[in-house]
Amino acid sequence: MDVEHATERPTAVDRRLRTAVAVLGAVALLAGLAALVLPHATLTAVVWVFGIYLVVAGGTLLVRAFTGPAASAWRRIGFVLLGLLVLAGGVFAIVHPPVGLRWLTLAIGFAWLLEGITLLYAPTTGNRALAVVGAVLSFLSGLLLINLPYLGAVFAVAAVSSVLIVSGIVQLVVAITWTRTDDRAAAVESR
């Protein structure tokens, strides 16, 4: 435990924590509103982050091809080819975000299609009807995302924005009511 803060009154610590909650709430609220107002900028930022991830992943595959335990020549060639492909995909996503967004949504759409098919044929230990409903929803979501990728992306931004806005409002309310609780506690202590 930090000696400097051990002698501090709990109300000072509470004020700092309350301030942190209020700042976090304000940032969440502003980020949610910004994402709602500027969905294309938000999607571009997401694609850039995904592109940076792909660049790092591709570089990691290239490093893995030439380091580590001795592998066969074919395995090294596979790592190099896959690393270059992933690296190129990442650079392309960063340079051309709309195309990167299209590829990202296609990948998610195909993953949902495969998930739906897998759920449909997977053995279930619980309710089979729920598994079928989940499979159908996953499959239909995948089809929708593949055929209307930008619509799916905008809905995703709207959902995340809504969560950020609600979270920000809740945190601000907590910070504001926390102040009232501290004031009441200080009034009770002074009596």
Side-chain angles (χ1 to χ4, degrees), residues 117-134:
I117 293 168
T118 303
L119 280 173
L120 195 58
Y121 290 105
T124 59
T125 57
N127 190 339
R128 179 70 181 156
L130 286 177
V132 170
V133 168

Side-chain angles (χ1 to χ4, degrees), residues 10 15 59 74 78 80 89 94 121 133 136 148 158-159 163-164 175 179 181 183:
R15 278 190 215 113
W74 287 111
V80 168
I94 293 169
Y121 290 105
V133 168
V136 169
L148 302 169
V163 168
L164 282 171
T179 303
T181 305
D183 291 344

Side-chain angles (χ1 to χ4, degrees), residues 29-126:
L29 181 63
L30 292 174
L33 289 173
L36 271 181
V37 173
L38 304 166
H40 295 295
T42 304
L43 291 172
T44 299
V46 168
V47 171
W48 283 344
V49 168
F50 183 68
I52 291 168
Y53 167 77
L54 288 177
V55 167
V56 171
T60 302
L61 286 168
L62 290 173
V63 168
R64 190 172 173 194
F66 299 108
T67 60
S72 70
W74 287 111
R75 187 175 178 137
R76 286 186 193 271
I77 290 170
F79 275 131
V80 168
L81 290 176
L82 184 60
L84 289 174
L85 183 66
V86 170
L87 184 74
V91 169
F92 192 79
I94 293 169
V95 174
H96 302 290
V99 177
L101 177 63
R102 173 82 172 141
W103 283 103
L104 179 60
T105 54
L106 281 174
I108 294 170
F110 280 114
W112 278 347
L113 283 176
L114 291 175
E115 180 184 31
I117 293 168
T118 303
L119 280 173
L120 195 58
Y121 290 105
T124 59
T125 57

